[in-house]
Amino acid sequence: MTSLRAFFDDEAHDFPAHERPAAVGSPASPSHKAGTRLAHMSVGILVGTTAGLGGALVSADLVQVRQVLGLSPTQAAWLSTSYVAAAVPANLLLIKVRQQYGLRRFALVALGLYAAAALAQTWVTDIAAMLLLRAIAGFVSVTLIPLCLFHTMQAFPTKWRLRGLVLGIGITQCGVPLARLLSPSLLGVDGWRSLFLLEAGLALLSLAAVGALRLPPAERARVFEPLDLLTFVLLGGALAAIAAVLGLGRFEGWLNTQWIVVTLLAAPPALLAAGVIELRRATPLIDLRWLAHGDVWRFAAAVFLIRLVLAKQEMALGARPHELESLAAVMLASAVTGVLASTMCVNVEKIARPMMLAIGIVTVAALVDGIGTGPLPTASLYVSQSAIAFAGTFFLGPALLLGITSALRHGSGALISFIVLFGVVNALGALAGQALLGSYMDWRLAAGAAEQAARSDTMQLAAVLGLATTLYLAGLLLLRVRRRLAELRTEVSAGATSKEEPPTAGSGWTQPRVVPAIGAIMAAVAIWGVMLILAAFGRV
């Protein structure tokens, strides 16, 4: 029992000030040997891939899953939307769970639940049960992204930890092109069940890896308050409902379905009530005062618009991804290139530039797709979609870093609020983009346009949105960065001066040895995960 408790809990350790985490619930930042850094990188890639594939495997194969299960288009849309709608509000609650109950316990329990939900989905065919399991998986999946970031940051020397942050968030975004590449092989083995076998196998491998390789201990604190639950119900419920409307409105009719109309009427009062409660609290669940700053909401608007425009990729590919395996491979390679380029080129003083470059690339790609009139696939499609895949991963790391550097100057409360904001804006922006562009294409088809003409018109709309977003970024983000340059240079100078002093001694923390019994259990979990992955591809 003592060994089991030690396995789930972080051991106490007194870290010096320069190695302590920026916020409660995050791991410390000691120096590691090269072998340990490589191990953290491997775990980060594994967990990030698991997180990225979780939602992408179903959304990329929605047409095929719908056909096999005999679902209507609306039921199929619910299948993918339930995952996102549950994930959107999850950060509101799960960040405090991590802070109060410990990072390691939080990670292991979450990965276990995620694997269990994926395994259950391989046997369930009832649509109601499937929606519930997808929602559970979506809610728990939010824990995987920070876990990926923590491991990739530990893989870099202290002075390059921000590169690890950019790399980690980029890894999680490679899930969609990877899902498009793997899906034909998976569906050809055991249909939709293979998708969930792969998801469960990766989750079990991640569980074994995280169990064997500890992150440095994280600080804990009693952070939950009774009003947190009320805020979560109001704010989280409203955000989940908005996500459901964005995901289903196109299929059920924006104003022709009762539940959509009721949601649109009920969500604003719920958001307002949550805001009033939070503004009156000394320790709010989310810091609305900081979020109300002009720079913060203008940044959120920029990320939302970028996500809106990036949704054009789904419209360009349409419902024929399995005819384009070679295109999926090119898109995956481009996405990985974008992650690596973003990691290598990150510069705190020039963060707005890669964001503008990325959306400029998307604008040009949308114009190329809008002009094209030939059937898919074409050479221009390969160029445009690989460019968008590159831009989609290239912009996200700098965008995350831009917000975090601002939040860190306002304390841990602002950092937590930014993480919540970033997750919500990304998810809702992607849903809103698909809803807007998809509804426009449906309207063009209903007006009598041919499918290729309707798709071309939709791409032209995406190009207009991209151009507007580029101008928005140029007019707001660059001005914001320029206003901060003097302050940043002062901070850098102050930091350089302090570095001339003798460095503070490290904590001496090292990876604890794995107890043999625990090691055997983790090895068994890993073998189980490998077997599920092999079964997904028909290798056992």
Side-chain angles (χ1 to χ4, degrees), residues 174-185 313 317 320-338 377 381-383 385-387 389-390:
C174 293
V176 172
L178 181 59
R180 289 190 179 277
L181 181 63
L182 297 178
S183 294
S185 299
Q313 189 168 54
L317 293 176
R320 293 170 282 185
H322 302 293
E323 300 174 11
L324 307 172
E325 287 185 57
S326 58
L327 175 59
V330 172
M331 289 167 58
L332 177 59
S334 299
V336 172
T337 303
L381 184 68
Y382 278 77
V383 174
Q385 296 310 304
S386 61
F390 174 88

Side-chain angles (χ1 to χ4, degrees), residues 369-385:
D369 287 340
I371 294 172
T373 57
L376 297 177
T378 65
S380 64
L381 184 68
Y382 278 77
V383 174
S384 64
Q385 296 310 304

Side-chain angles (χ1 to χ4, degrees), residues 118-139:
L119 274 175
Q121 288 172 89
T122 62
W123 305 109
V124 172
T125 56
D126 178 70
I127 183 61
M130 290 188 72
L131 291 178
L132 177 61
L133 289 171
R134 290 307 294 164
I136 293 173
F139 191 87

Side-chain angles (χ1 to χ4, degrees), residues 435-450:
L436 173 63
L437 298 179
S439 296
Y440 179 77
M441 183 171 174
D442 291 344
W443 173 75
R444 292 290 295 123
L445 290 171

Side-chain angles (χ1 to χ4, degrees), residues 266-305:
L271 292 172
L272 180 61
V276 171
I277 293 171
E278 291 298 280
L279 288 173
R280 293 176 177 272
R281 296 177 62 186
T283 55
L285 183 65
I286 184 169
D287 190 349
L288 294 179
R289 288 185 175 86
W290 178 75
L291 292 179
H293 289 175
D295 281 348
V296 178
W297 65 259
R298 282 193 290 266
F299 160 77
V303 175
F304 182 87
L305 288 171

Side-chain angles (χ1 to χ4, degrees), residues 44-62 65 79-80 83-84 114 118 121 134 137-138 141-142 144-145 148 168-184 186 192 194-203 205-206 328 332 533 536-537:
I45 293 173
L46 175 60
V47 174
T49 302
T50 304
L53 281 176
L57 282 171
V58 172
S59 61
D61 298 288
L62 208 54
V65 172
L79 197 60
S80 61
Y83 186 95
V84 181
Y114 189 79
Q121 288 172 89
R134 290 307 294 164
S141 69
V142 172
L144 274 63
I145 296 177
C148 168
I169 196 65
I171 290 171
T172 65
Q173 300 304 303
C174 293
V176 172
L178 181 59
R180 289 190 179 277
L181 181 63
L182 297 178
S183 294
L186 292 169
W192 59 273
S194 293
L195 304 178
F196 298 123
L197 284 174
L198 176 61
E199 189 176 354
L202 288 172
L205 274 179
S206 298
L332 177 59
I533 293 173
F537 288 97

Side-chain angles (χ1 to χ4, degrees), residues 89-163:
N91 262 323
L92 290 169
L93 192 66
L94 294 183
I95 288 179
K96 282 203 169 186
V97 172
R98 189 177 78 214
Q99 292 178 323
Q100 181 151 329
Y101 297 102
L103 172 59
R104 183 166 175 80
R105 185 182 302 176
F106 167 83
L108 293 172
V109 171
L111 281 168
L113 289 174
Y114 189 79
L119 274 175
Q121 288 172 89
T122 62
W123 305 109
V124 172
T125 56
D126 178 70
I127 183 61
M130 290 188 72
L131 291 178
L132 177 61
L133 289 171
R134 290 307 294 164
I136 293 173
F139 191 87
V140 179
S141 69
V142 172
T143 65
L144 274 63
I145 296 177
L147 195 58
C148 168
L149 301 185
F150 293 151
H151 277 286
T152 54
M153 290 177 73
Q154 298 292 328
F156 284 80
T158 303
K159 63 179 180 179
W160 287 351
R161 288 282 159 89
L162 291 180
R163 295 183 187 272

